Amino acid sequence: MPISLSLPRADGGVETYTLAGTPTERPAATPVFNRIAYAAAHVVSDPRRDARPWEAPAVDWDATMAFRRHLWSLGFRIAEAMDTAQRGMGLDWAGAQELIRRSLAEAKTVPGADLACGAGTDHLNPADARSLDDVIAAYEEQVGFVEKHGGRAIMMASRALARLARSPDDYRKVYGRILGQAKDKVVLHWLGDMFDPQLKGYWGSDSFEPALDAVLSIIDENRDKVEGIKISLLENAKEVALRDRLPEGVLCFTGDDFNYAELIEGDGRKYSHALLGIFDAVAPQASTALASLAAGDVATFRAVIEPTVPLSRKIFEAPTQYYKAGVVFLAWLNGHQDHFTMPAGMQSARGVLHYADVFRLADQANVLDKPDLAAERMKSLMTVLGVR
């Protein structure tokens, strides 16, 4: 019997929406990809203990680790303690340390599990940073923590460095020092200011070409310590420009949640690997698509992954930094957690019309794994938000 519910429209009215999607079948065994695919994973709150969500959010560690096992079972590596985990927007460095410790320990219990961990400078208030040496010391502390616990680092962009740096040479100094000390190869992280306005002008310029030249010079000078670079500028032409100029052996990881399908497939010459927040929300579909691509079945890859792109564009619409709300919303609808509560109350960052659109697009992209449950939970949310 069709499942229907009432959803709000942008004109202030209400419509009856009938679900039409088909849940994606889970693989019998962990699939193998021909692209490296990191899913940036979210954290799960514990609302029963979350007395001060804006100051000291309580994390449900059991549910948080269970979601990571879900991602590993679908063939993904995990990008841990990154932006999707509300790093710097609900999860502070103390919380990130606990998350990194637990995830690295959890990975040891899961055959084939792999992850890399975000290391930045977020425990250093940008206003308190007085010199590049302060930034270097902050990076050293966090990279050192990851390595001490047996992890590999993703070198996250630094708000303090963006505030202090006066030229590309300042970035070259900081990155050169940290990469020179790293035990393992590191993934760099180019996060656009649509994700974090405090990162405007990163690499020493507001313009793309000078910034590209600067980061490429850093990579070239440290290529033996750079596994690759994640680029999140939401413009595929900029990613292709970076990809085409990377040194041999240095990987491009797409962080483009608007154009990932075509960037992962490639242009016949080169392709991007992936480090994406949207893979948290569409993991079964992305896994099926990537496994099909590895088998040479490009048609199925496109048929499965392309419908997720409109959903992703809605979740990551401006203000882009609030995309975490849509990611956790879908985890709740799909039964990965029993509530829709986020650190710092971030679920309030989006409104009822946004969630209604995400629900429709998720259904149309076959992302609702348990349609009955998703509809039941959506109805309860609509009631709370005044839609009847």
Side-chain angles (χ1 to χ4, degrees):
M1 185 173 183
I3 304 170
S4 299
L5 69 163
S6 297
L7 295 178
R9 299 192 308 257
D11 64 4
V14 175
E15 69 173 11
T16 298
Y17 181 80
T18 301
L19 277 70
T22 302
T24 301
E25 186 177 350
R26 293 296 190 276
T30 303
V32 176
F33 307 148
N34 63 352
R35 305 287 192 266
I36 297 172
Y38 284 96
H42 74 279
V43 296
V44 181
S45 287
D46 182 349
R48 290 162 295 189
R49 296 190 300 112
D50 214 8
R52 294 186 296 142
W54 293 274
E55 300 168 0
V59 176
D60 182 336
W61 293 113
D62 289 341
T64 295
M65 290 301 108
F67 194 81
R68 278 133 185 84
R69 291 192 295 273
H70 159 69
L71 293 173
W72 281 321
S73 74
L74 291 168
F76 293 102
R77 299 184 186 187
I78 289 175
E80 188 55 278
M82 301 290 291
D83 192 53
T84 306
Q86 295 183 240
R87 189 76 178 269
M89 291 185 70
L91 187 75
D92 61 11
W93 173 229
Q97 289 178 82
E98 182 70 8
L99 178 59
I100 289 167
R101 275 195 300 264
R102 287 175 178 266
S103 291
L104 288 169
E106 191 74 22
K108 294 177 182 177
T109 71
V110 179
D114 197 359
L115 74 162
C117 304
T121 67
D122 51 319
H123 63 294
L124 173 64
N125 188 323
D128 294 336
R130 297 289 178 259
S131 68
L132 295 181
D133 287 337
D134 291 340
V135 178
I136 289 170
Y139 267 128
E140 287 176 336
E141 177 179 339
Q142 295 205 12
V143 173
F145 179 87
V146 171
E147 292 183 339
K148 180 179 73 173
H149 288 84
R152 306 188 321 280
I154 300 170
M155 194 171 172
M156 300 176 70
S158 166
R159 292 172 176 173
L161 179 54
R163 179 177 179 273
L164 284 174
R166 296 292 176 264
S167 71
D169 286 339
D170 289 340
Y171 288 88
R172 194 171 291 111
K173 175 182 177 180
V174 171
Y175 277 78
R177 179 80 67 84
I178 301 304
L179 291 169
Q181 297 171 355
K183 293 180 181 178
D184 297 309
K185 286 190 173 185
V186 172
V187 175
L188 304 185
H189 191 215
W190 188 349
L191 193 67
D193 58 9
M194 69 287 295
F195 286 93
D196 187 342
Q198 294 187 58
L199 298 178
K200 185 174 176 57
Y202 213 74
W203 308 118
S205 177
D206 289 335
S207 300
F208 174 69
E209 289 296 338
L212 177 62
D213 290 340
V215 72
L216 285 169
S217 71
I218 291 170
I219 292 170
D220 191 59
E221 292 166 9
N222 302 276
R223 66 172 68 185
D224 60 328
K225 288 294 185 72
V226 178
E227 177 187 356
I229 177 169
K230 174 202 170 168
I231 177 169
S232 301
L233 300 183
L234 303 184
E235 291 187 43
N236 54 352
K238 291 180 177 179
E239 179 170 324
V240 171
L242 168 67
R243 191 172 74 188
D244 285 347
R245 292 179 59 187
L246 285 174
E248 187 71 27
V250 177
L251 306 178
C252 181
F253 292 94
T254 186
D256 188 335
D257 299 279
F258 282 6
N259 304 292
Y260 51 92
E262 62 190 87
L263 290 163
I264 292 169
E265 181 178 336
D267 56 14
R269 300 179 303 108
K270 295 185 178 182
Y271 56 78
S272 296
H273 299 275
L275 197 165
L276 287 162
I278 192 58
F279 279 0
D280 177 297
V282 301
Q285 296 71 41
S287 175
T288 298
L290 289 167
S292 299
L293 186 64
D297 185 353
V298 177
T300 297
F301 168 79
R302 293 173 179 170
V304 175
I305 205 166
E306 286 178 356
T308 70
V309 174
L311 169 64
S312 186
R313 291 185 177 191
K314 170 54 65 172
I315 289 173
F316 284 79
E317 70 181 354
T320 302
Q321 65 266 33
Y322 298 139
Y323 77 87
K324 297 91 167 172
V327 168
V328 177
F329 172 63
L330 286 175
W332 172 59
L333 290 181
N334 284 328
H336 293 290
Q337 52 200 76
D338 58 10
H339 59 85
F340 180 31
T341 305
M342 299 173 64
M346 189 60 67
Q347 68 273 10
S348 66
R350 299 292 201 188
V352 64
L353 292 174
H354 177 86
Y355 290 127
D357 285 342
V358 168
F359 183 89
R360 293 183 186 97
L361 290 167
D363 172 52
Q364 292 158 23
N366 302 314
V367 170
L368 299 180
D369 297 334
K370 302 173 182 177
D372 289 322
L373 176 65
E376 176 188 340
R377 291 186 167 184
M378 190 64 176
K379 288 176 184 177
S380 68
L381 180 64
M382 292 298 98
T383 298
V384 169
L385 296 178
V387 178
R388 293 179 175 83

PDB file of all heavy atoms in Angstrom, residues 202-227:
ATOM      1  N   TYR A 202      42.403  31.575   1.875  1.00  0.00           N
ATOM      2  CA  TYR A 202      43.362  30.532   2.247  1.00  0.00           C
ATOM      3  C   TYR A 202      44.397  30.324   1.145  1.00  0.00           C
ATOM      4  O   TYR A 202      44.114  30.514  -0.026  1.00  0.00           O
ATOM      5  CB  TYR A 202      42.639  29.218   2.535  1.00  0.00           C
ATOM      6  CG  TYR A 202      43.323  28.412   3.624  1.00  0.00           C
ATOM      7  CD1 TYR A 202      43.228  28.799   4.950  1.00  0.00           C
ATOM      8  CD2 TYR A 202      44.089  27.290   3.311  1.00  0.00           C
ATOM      9  CE1 TYR A 202      43.866  28.066   5.951  1.00  0.00           C
ATOM     10  CE2 TYR A 202      44.722  26.561   4.300  1.00  0.00           C
ATOM     11  CZ  TYR A 202      44.613  26.959   5.622  1.00  0.00           C
ATOM     12  OH  TYR A 202      45.254  26.253   6.608  1.00  0.00           O
ATOM     13  N   TRP A 203      45.575  29.949   1.540  1.00  0.00           N
ATOM     14  CA  TRP A 203      46.777  29.818   0.706  1.00  0.00           C
ATOM     15  C   TRP A 203      47.343  31.176   0.281  1.00  0.00           C
ATOM     16  O   TRP A 203      48.240  31.252  -0.536  1.00  0.00           O
ATOM     17  CB  TRP A 203      46.549  28.942  -0.527  1.00  0.00           C
ATOM     18  CG  TRP A 203      45.951  27.608  -0.240  1.00  0.00           C
ATOM     19  CD1 TRP A 203      44.761  27.141  -0.682  1.00  0.00           C
ATOM     20  CD2 TRP A 203      46.503  26.558   0.576  1.00  0.00           C
ATOM     21  NE1 TRP A 203      44.512  25.875  -0.209  1.00  0.00           N
ATOM     22  CE2 TRP A 203      45.577  25.481   0.567  1.00  0.00           C
ATOM     23  CE3 TRP A 203      47.688  26.414   1.306  1.00  0.00           C
ATOM     24  CZ2 TRP A 203      45.805  24.298   1.267  1.00  0.00           C
ATOM     25  CZ3 TRP A 203      47.911  25.237   2.000  1.00  0.00           C
ATOM     26  CH2 TRP A 203      46.970  24.203   1.978  1.00  0.00           C
ATOM     27  N   GLY A 204      46.773  32.262   0.857  1.00  0.00           N
ATOM     28  CA  GLY A 204      47.384  33.565   0.653  1.00  0.00           C
ATOM     29  C   GLY A 204      46.758  34.420  -0.415  1.00  0.00           C
ATOM     30  O   GLY A 204      47.314  35.467  -0.765  1.00  0.00           O
ATOM     31  N   SER A 205      45.578  34.036  -0.928  1.00  0.00           N
ATOM     32  CA  SER A 205      44.944  34.850  -1.964  1.00  0.00           C
ATOM     33  C   SER A 205      43.445  34.592  -2.000  1.00  0.00           C
ATOM     34  O   SER A 205      42.995  33.470  -1.790  1.00  0.00           O
ATOM     35  CB  SER A 205      45.549  34.546  -3.343  1.00  0.00           C
ATOM     36  OG  SER A 205      44.895  35.288  -4.353  1.00  0.00           O
ATOM     37  N   ASP A 206      42.687  35.661  -2.318  1.00  0.00           N
ATOM     38  CA  ASP A 206      41.252  35.512  -2.544  1.00  0.00           C
ATOM     39  C   ASP A 206      40.952  34.981  -3.935  1.00  0.00           C
ATOM     40  O   ASP A 206      39.826  34.571  -4.215  1.00  0.00           O
ATOM     41  CB  ASP A 206      40.543  36.860  -2.373  1.00  0.00           C
ATOM     42  CG  ASP A 206      40.488  37.315  -0.926  1.00  0.00           C
ATOM     43  OD1 ASP A 206      40.548  36.450  -0.028  1.00  0.00           O
ATOM     44  OD2 ASP A 206      40.390  38.534  -0.689  1.00  0.00           O
ATOM     45  N   SER A 207      41.940  35.002  -4.813  1.00  0.00           N
ATOM     46  CA  SER A 207      41.764  34.536  -6.194  1.00  0.00           C
ATOM     47  C   SER A 207      42.238  33.099  -6.330  1.00  0.00           C
ATOM     48  O   SER A 207      43.220  32.684  -5.682  1.00  0.00           O
ATOM     49  CB  SER A 207      42.535  35.429  -7.166  1.00  0.00           C
ATOM     50  OG  SER A 207      42.062  36.766  -7.089  1.00  0.00           O
ATOM     51  N   PHE A 208      41.559  32.340  -7.195  1.00  0.00           N
ATOM     52  CA  PHE A 208      41.842  30.918  -7.300  1.00  0.00           C
ATOM     53  C   PHE A 208      43.226  30.612  -7.848  1.00  0.00           C
ATOM     54  O   PHE A 208      43.956  29.786  -7.282  1.00  0.00           O
ATOM     55  CB  PHE A 208      40.786  30.236  -8.178  1.00  0.00           C
ATOM     56  CG  PHE A 208      41.083  28.791  -8.460  1.00  0.00           C
ATOM     57  CD1 PHE A 208      41.013  27.842  -7.452  1.00  0.00           C
ATOM     58  CD2 PHE A 208      41.461  28.390  -9.734  1.00  0.00           C
ATOM     59  CE1 PHE A 208      41.303  26.505  -7.709  1.00  0.00           C
ATOM     60  CE2 PHE A 208      41.743  27.057 -10.003  1.00  0.00           C
ATOM     61  CZ  PHE A 208      41.673  26.114  -8.988  1.00  0.00           C
ATOM     62  N   GLU A 209      43.614  31.226  -8.938  1.00  0.00           N
ATOM     63  CA  GLU A 209      44.879  30.856  -9.583  1.00  0.00           C
ATOM     64  C   GLU A 209      46.090  31.064  -8.677  1.00  0.00           C
ATOM     65  O   GLU A 209      46.928  30.159  -8.556  1.00  0.00           O
ATOM     66  CB  GLU A 209      45.040  31.619 -10.897  1.00  0.00           C
ATOM     67  CG  GLU A 209      44.107  31.155 -12.005  1.00  0.00           C
ATOM     68  CD  GLU A 209      44.358  29.719 -12.429  1.00  0.00           C
ATOM     69  OE1 GLU A 209      45.478  29.204 -12.189  1.00  0.00           O
ATOM     70  OE2 GLU A 209      43.444  29.098 -12.995  1.00  0.00           O
ATOM     71  N   PRO A 210      46.236  32.228  -8.009  1.00  0.00           N
ATOM     72  CA  PRO A 210      47.374  32.350  -7.076  1.00  0.00           C
ATOM     73  C   PRO A 210      47.313  31.348  -5.925  1.00  0.00           C
ATOM     74  O   PRO A 210      48.346  30.826  -5.498  1.00  0.00           O
ATOM     75  CB  PRO A 210      47.257  33.796  -6.575  1.00  0.00           C
ATOM     76  CG  PRO A 210      46.453  34.507  -7.604  1.00  0.00           C
ATOM     77  CD  PRO A 210      45.497  33.493  -8.136  1.00  0.00           C
ATOM     78  N   ALA A 211      46.102  31.083  -5.425  1.00  0.00           N
ATOM     79  CA  ALA A 211      45.966  30.091  -4.350  1.00  0.00           C
ATOM     80  C   ALA A 211      46.371  28.709  -4.854  1.00  0.00           C
ATOM     81  O   ALA A 211      47.053  27.947  -4.147  1.00  0.00           O
ATOM     82  CB  ALA A 211      44.533  30.071  -3.830  1.00  0.00           C
ATOM     83  N   LEU A 212      45.968  28.372  -6.084  1.00  0.00           N
ATOM     84  CA  LEU A 212      46.339  27.090  -6.673  1.00  0.00           C
ATOM     85  C   LEU A 212      47.853  26.974  -6.809  1.00  0.00           C
ATOM     86  O   LEU A 212      48.447  25.943  -6.462  1.00  0.00           O
ATOM     87  CB  LEU A 212      45.671  26.938  -8.037  1.00  0.00           C
ATOM     88  CG  LEU A 212      46.000  25.678  -8.838  1.00  0.00           C
ATOM     89  CD1 LEU A 212      45.553  24.426  -8.092  1.00  0.00           C
ATOM     90  CD2 LEU A 212      45.343  25.733 -10.214  1.00  0.00           C
ATOM     91  N   ASP A 213      48.493  28.019  -7.296  1.00  0.00           N
ATOM     92  CA  ASP A 213      49.955  28.003  -7.429  1.00  0.00           C
ATOM     93  C   ASP A 213      50.621  27.787  -6.075  1.00  0.00           C
ATOM     94  O   ASP A 213      51.608  27.042  -5.956  1.00  0.00           O
ATOM     95  CB  ASP A 213      50.445  29.318  -8.043  1.00  0.00           C
ATOM     96  CG  ASP A 213      50.074  29.467  -9.514  1.00  0.00           C
ATOM     97  OD1 ASP A 213      49.789  28.443 -10.161  1.00  0.00           O
ATOM     98  OD2 ASP A 213      50.079  30.613 -10.006  1.00  0.00           O
ATOM     99  N   ALA A 214      50.062  28.435  -5.048  1.00  0.00           N
ATOM    100  CA  ALA A 214      50.669  28.329  -3.711  1.00  0.00           C
ATOM    101  C   ALA A 214      50.567  26.914  -3.166  1.00  0.00           C
ATOM    102  O   ALA A 214      51.558  26.351  -2.668  1.00  0.00           O
ATOM    103  CB  ALA A 214      49.996  29.316  -2.760  1.00  0.00           C
ATOM    104  N   VAL A 215      49.394  26.309  -3.246  1.00  0.00           N
ATOM    105  CA  VAL A 215      49.241  24.971  -2.678  1.00  0.00           C
ATOM    106  C   VAL A 215      50.037  23.949  -3.492  1.00  0.00           C
ATOM    107  O   VAL A 215      50.607  22.998  -2.930  1.00  0.00           O
ATOM    108  CB  VAL A 215      47.763  24.579  -2.542  1.00  0.00           C
ATOM    109  CG1 VAL A 215      47.114  24.299  -3.876  1.00  0.00           C
ATOM    110  CG2 VAL A 215      47.613  23.373  -1.626  1.00  0.00           C
ATOM    111  N   LEU A 216      50.099  24.120  -4.787  1.00  0.00           N
ATOM    112  CA  LEU A 216      50.890  23.195  -5.609  1.00  0.00           C
ATOM    113  C   LEU A 216      52.369  23.295  -5.269  1.00  0.00           C
ATOM    114  O   LEU A 216      53.081  22.280  -5.280  1.00  0.00           O
ATOM    115  CB  LEU A 216      50.659  23.479  -7.090  1.00  0.00           C
ATOM    116  CG  LEU A 216      49.309  22.996  -7.647  1.00  0.00           C
ATOM    117  CD1 LEU A 216      49.070  23.569  -9.039  1.00  0.00           C
ATOM    118  CD2 LEU A 216      49.250  21.469  -7.686  1.00  0.00           C
ATOM    119  N   SER A 217      52.845  24.485  -4.950  1.00  0.00           N
ATOM    120  CA  SER A 217      54.252  24.620  -4.569  1.00  0.00           C
ATOM    121  C   SER A 217      54.525  23.911  -3.243  1.00  0.00           C
ATOM    122  O   SER A 217      55.582  23.285  -3.068  1.00  0.00           O
ATOM    123  CB  SER A 217      54.645  26.096  -4.483  1.00  0.00           C
ATOM    124  OG  SER A 217      54.054  26.737  -3.363  1.00  0.00           O
ATOM    125  N   ILE A 218      53.566  23.991  -2.315  1.00  0.00           N
ATOM    126  CA  ILE A 218      53.716  23.285  -1.032  1.00  0.00           C
ATOM    127  C   ILE A 218      53.752  21.783  -1.261  1.00  0.00           C
ATOM    128  O   ILE A 218      54.573  21.061  -0.687  1.00  0.00           O
ATOM    129  CB  ILE A 218      52.572  23.682  -0.084  1.00  0.00           C
ATOM    130  CG1 ILE A 218      52.717  25.141   0.351  1.00  0.00           C
ATOM    131  CG2 ILE A 218      52.528  22.758   1.136  1.00  0.00           C
ATOM    132  CD1 ILE A 218      51.518  25.689   1.094  1.00  0.00           C
ATOM    133  N   ILE A 219      52.843  21.286  -2.108  1.00  0.00           N
ATOM    134  CA  ILE A 219      52.806  19.853  -2.400  1.00  0.00           C
ATOM    135  C   ILE A 219      54.087  19.417  -3.085  1.00  0.00           C
ATOM    136  O   ILE A 219      54.678  18.371  -2.739  1.00  0.00           O
ATOM    137  CB  ILE A 219      51.576  19.523  -3.267  1.00  0.00           C
ATOM    138  CG1 ILE A 219      50.294  19.719  -2.451  1.00  0.00           C
ATOM    139  CG2 ILE A 219      51.646  18.100  -3.807  1.00  0.00           C
ATOM    140  CD1 ILE A 219      49.021  19.649  -3.276  1.00  0.00           C
ATOM    141  N   ASP A 220      54.556  20.191  -4.047  1.00  0.00           N
ATOM    142  CA  ASP A 220      55.764  19.820  -4.783  1.00  0.00           C
ATOM    143  C   ASP A 220      56.975  19.756  -3.868  1.00  0.00           C
ATOM    144  O   ASP A 220      57.822  18.864  -3.998  1.00  0.00           O
ATOM    145  CB  ASP A 220      55.996  20.820  -5.918  1.00  0.00           C
ATOM    146  CG  ASP A 220      57.070  20.347  -6.881  1.00  0.00           C
ATOM    147  OD1 ASP A 220      56.895  19.256  -7.475  1.00  0.00           O
ATOM    148  OD2 ASP A 220      58.090  21.049  -7.038  1.00  0.00           O
ATOM    149  N   GLU A 221      57.057  20.680  -2.931  1.00  0.00           N
ATOM    150  CA  GLU A 221      58.198  20.712  -2.015  1.00  0.00           C
ATOM    151  C   GLU A 221      58.140  19.595  -0.976  1.00  0.00           C
ATOM    152  O   GLU A 221      59.172  19.272  -0.356  1.00  0.00           O
ATOM    153  CB  GLU A 221      58.247  22.066  -1.304  1.00  0.00           C
ATOM    154  CG  GLU A 221      58.593  23.228  -2.226  1.00  0.00           C
ATOM    155  CD  GLU A 221      58.305  24.586  -1.594  1.00  0.00           C
ATOM    156  OE1 GLU A 221      57.999  24.617  -0.374  1.00  0.00           O
ATOM    157  OE2 GLU A 221      58.363  25.600  -2.305  1.00  0.00           O
ATOM    158  N   ASN A 222      56.952  18.996  -0.780  1.00  0.00           N
ATOM    159  CA  ASN A 222      56.779  17.970   0.265  1.00  0.00           C
ATOM    160  C   ASN A 222      56.101  16.725  -0.284  1.00  0.00           C
ATOM    161  O   ASN A 222      55.421  16.016   0.453  1.00  0.00           O
ATOM    162  CB  ASN A 222      55.942  18.554   1.412  1.00  0.00           C
ATOM    163  CG  ASN A 222      56.531  19.792   2.030  1.00  0.00           C
ATOM    164  OD1 ASN A 222      57.391  19.718   2.901  1.00  0.00           O
ATOM    165  ND2 ASN A 222      56.065  20.963   1.585  1.00  0.00           N
ATOM    166  N   ARG A 223      56.301  16.427  -1.563  1.00  0.00           N
ATOM    167  CA  ARG A 223      55.499  15.378  -2.199  1.00  0.00           C
ATOM    168  C   ARG A 223      55.696  14.011  -1.573  1.00  0.00           C
ATOM    169  O   ARG A 223      54.797  13.170  -1.635  1.00  0.00           O
ATOM    170  CB  ARG A 223      55.791  15.319  -3.698  1.00  0.00           C
ATOM    171  CG  ARG A 223      57.192  14.880  -4.064  1.00  0.00           C
ATOM    172  CD  ARG A 223      57.312  14.658  -5.581  1.00  0.00           C
ATOM    173  NE  ARG A 223      57.216  15.908  -6.334  1.00  0.00           N
ATOM    174  CZ  ARG A 223      57.196  15.971  -7.655  1.00  0.00           C
ATOM    175  NH1 ARG A 223      57.235  14.857  -8.367  1.00  0.00           N
ATOM    176  NH2 ARG A 223      57.146  17.121  -8.269  1.00  0.00           N
ATOM    177  N   ASP A 224      56.824  13.773  -0.932  1.00  0.00           N
ATOM    178  CA  ASP A 224      57.039  12.474  -0.296  1.00  0.00           C
ATOM    179  C   ASP A 224      56.231  12.319   0.984  1.00  0.00           C
ATOM    180  O   ASP A 224      56.133  11.217   1.540  1.00  0.00           O
ATOM    181  CB  ASP A 224      58.525  12.259   0.005  1.00  0.00           C
ATOM    182  CG  ASP A 224      59.101  13.301   0.941  1.00  0.00           C
ATOM    183  OD1 ASP A 224      58.629  14.460   0.905  1.00  0.00           O
ATOM    184  OD2 ASP A 224      60.026  12.971   1.717  1.00  0.00           O
ATOM    185  N   LYS A 225      55.622  13.412   1.454  1.00  0.00           N
ATOM    186  CA  LYS A 225      54.813  13.362   2.674  1.00  0.00           C
ATOM    187  C   LYS A 225      53.329  13.654   2.419  1.00  0.00           C
ATOM    188  O   LYS A 225      52.548  13.737   3.355  1.00  0.00           O
ATOM    189  CB  LYS A 225      55.350  14.377   3.693  1.00  0.00           C
ATOM    190  CG  LYS A 225      56.676  13.982   4.327  1.00  0.00           C
ATOM    191  CD  LYS A 225      56.514  12.738   5.190  1.00  0.00           C
ATOM    192  CE  LYS A 225      57.789  12.390   5.929  1.00  0.00           C
ATOM    193  NZ  LYS A 225      58.077  13.322   7.029  1.00  0.00           N
ATOM    194  N   VAL A 226      52.941  13.813   1.162  1.00  0.00           N
ATOM    195  CA  VAL A 226      51.547  14.151   0.839  1.00  0.00           C
ATOM    196  C   VAL A 226      50.910  13.002   0.071  1.00  0.00           C
ATOM    197  O   VAL A 226      51.312  12.689  -1.053  1.00  0.00           O
ATOM    198  CB  VAL A 226      51.476  15.453   0.007  1.00  0.00           C
ATOM    199  CG1 VAL A 226      50.023  15.755  -0.360  1.00  0.00           C
ATOM    200  CG2 VAL A 226      52.080  16.621   0.776  1.00  0.00           C
ATOM    201  N   GLU A 227      49.917  12.351   0.697  1.00  0.00           N
ATOM    202  CA  GLU A 227      49.156  11.320  -0.001  1.00  0.00           C
ATOM    203  C   GLU A 227      48.268  11.947  -1.060  1.00  0.00           C
ATOM    204  O   GLU A 227      48.122  11.421  -2.174  1.00  0.00           O
ATOM    205  CB  GLU A 227      48.283  10.542   0.983  1.00  0.00           C
ATOM    206  CG  GLU A 227      47.409   9.483   0.304  1.00  0.00           C
ATOM    207  CD  GLU A 227      46.406   8.826   1.251  1.00  0.00           C
ATOM    208  OE1 GLU A 227      46.431   9.121   2.458  1.00  0.00           O
ATOM    209  OE2 GLU A 227      45.591   8.020   0.767  1.00  0.00           O
TER     210      GLU A 227
END
